[in-house]
Amino acid sequence: MENEVMECNASTKREAPNVLVTGTPGVGKSTLCKKLSELTGMQWLEISKVAKDNNCLEEYDQVYQCPVLDEDKLLDGLEETMNRGGNIVDYHSCEFFPERWFDAVFVLRTDNTTLYDRLTGRGYSGKKLEDNIDCEIFQVILDEANNSYKQDIVQELTSVSSEDLQKNIETICLWLQQWFQNSGA
Ligand code: DAT
């Protein structure tokens, strides 16, 4: 009976895995996901863009200077795509996604000086800059990932240099290869 229940698990029915790439803004999610998508043919779902394109944004948060997601509408709209598999989801938060959607969760991490330079380069300042640096110092997203997903599918990756980028691509590609081998696809 237990085996039957396990076989009904959505993740075991997917033809290709879903991967979540998360971390504080500026850690390098989009850079990594774009390259991964080009290399593997998997669909890159940049959640901020998907939300905007599908009218899943609510009011504007004046303090953080960003729009607030209509999470329910976004999740409903993505359900079918995620059930099919083969997606690389890119977002700076991870707790509101259904746990069953993901086969692996990669949390990108960087050092404070690097992140400061990247975020100021992007025009962040004041509270928005400080809060994002604090978020990385206090490993908020890593904790969120470990609290939201089984810890054996969560992996922390350093994302400071171009060598790190290359290494992270290799790590994820190896993981994907392993997934396909295990699934017999
Ligand atoms: P995010 O999508 O997490 O907000 P990004 O991919 O837009 O971050 O990257 C922010 C900046 O950092 C951008 O100018 C590219 C640069 N960058 C990203 N990953 C890097 C890496 N591994 N080494 C050097 N620079 C990187």
Side-chain angles (χ1 to χ4, degrees):
M1 181 63 189
E2 204 169 273
N3 284 343
E4 277 173 34
V5 172
M6 282 180 68
E7 276 166 22
C8 288
N9 184 309
S11 70
T12 59
K13 284 194 294 185
R14 284 196 278 267
E15 286 177 10
N18 290 319
V19 167
L20 172 63
V21 176
T22 189
T24 310
V27 289
K29 299 180 295 295
S30 305
T31 306
L32 175 67
C33 292
K34 184 171 186 285
K35 286 214 181 320
L36 261 182
S37 171
E38 287 165 359
L39 273 173
T40 63
M42 289 173 77
Q43 180 169 226
W44 170 26
L45 295 174
E46 199 175 3
I47 293 300
S48 305
K49 188 170 183 301
V50 172
K52 192 170 169 209
D53 293 348
N54 293 280
N55 298 317
C56 298
L57 298 177
E58 291 177 326
E59 77 275 23
Y60 194 78
D61 186 319
Q62 292 298 342
V63 177
Y64 291 101
Q65 296 161 33
C66 63
V68 177
L69 276 189
D70 179 342
E71 293 177 0
D72 290 340
K73 186 174 176 194
L74 178 86
L75 297 181
D76 284 350
L78 282 175
E79 183 71 35
E80 224 179 286
T81 302
M82 295 303 292
N83 286 343
R84 273 198 303 273
N87 301 291
I88 305 167
V89 173
D90 163 359
Y91 198 51
H92 58 259
S93 172
C94 58
E95 66 190 350
F96 69 97
F97 296 116
E99 189 183 351
R100 66 189 151 76
W101 275 8
F102 298 107
D103 302 283
V105 176
F106 295 97
V107 184
L108 303 191
R109 302 297 311 279
T110 190
D111 63 64
N112 309 330
T113 315
T114 303
L115 188 62
Y116 183 91
D117 290 346
R118 289 182 190 169
L119 292 180
T120 49
R122 197 185 264 185
Y124 282 26
S125 62
K127 184 169 171 51
K128 187 171 183 173
L129 175 63
E130 275 170 38
D131 284 355
N132 279 298
I133 299 285
D134 282 352
C135 176
E136 189 56 14
I137 292 173
F138 295 111
Q139 61 174 59
V140 171
I141 310 298
L142 179 64
D143 288 349
E144 191 182 311
N146 279 321
N147 290 330
S148 308
Y149 301 91
K150 291 201 183 77
Q151 289 196 13
D152 59 354
I153 74 157
V154 177
Q155 196 173 334
E156 186 179 353
L157 300 174
T158 300
S159 173
V160 175
S161 63
S162 49
E163 289 77 23
D164 293 330
L165 175 62
Q166 196 49 43
K167 209 160 73 185
N168 294 340
I169 288 169
E170 283 165 19
T171 301
I172 299 177
C173 284
L174 267 175
W175 180 88
L176 288 167
Q177 249 176 32
Q178 198 66 52
W179 189 95
F180 282 109
Q181 268 171 22
N182 293 345
S183 76

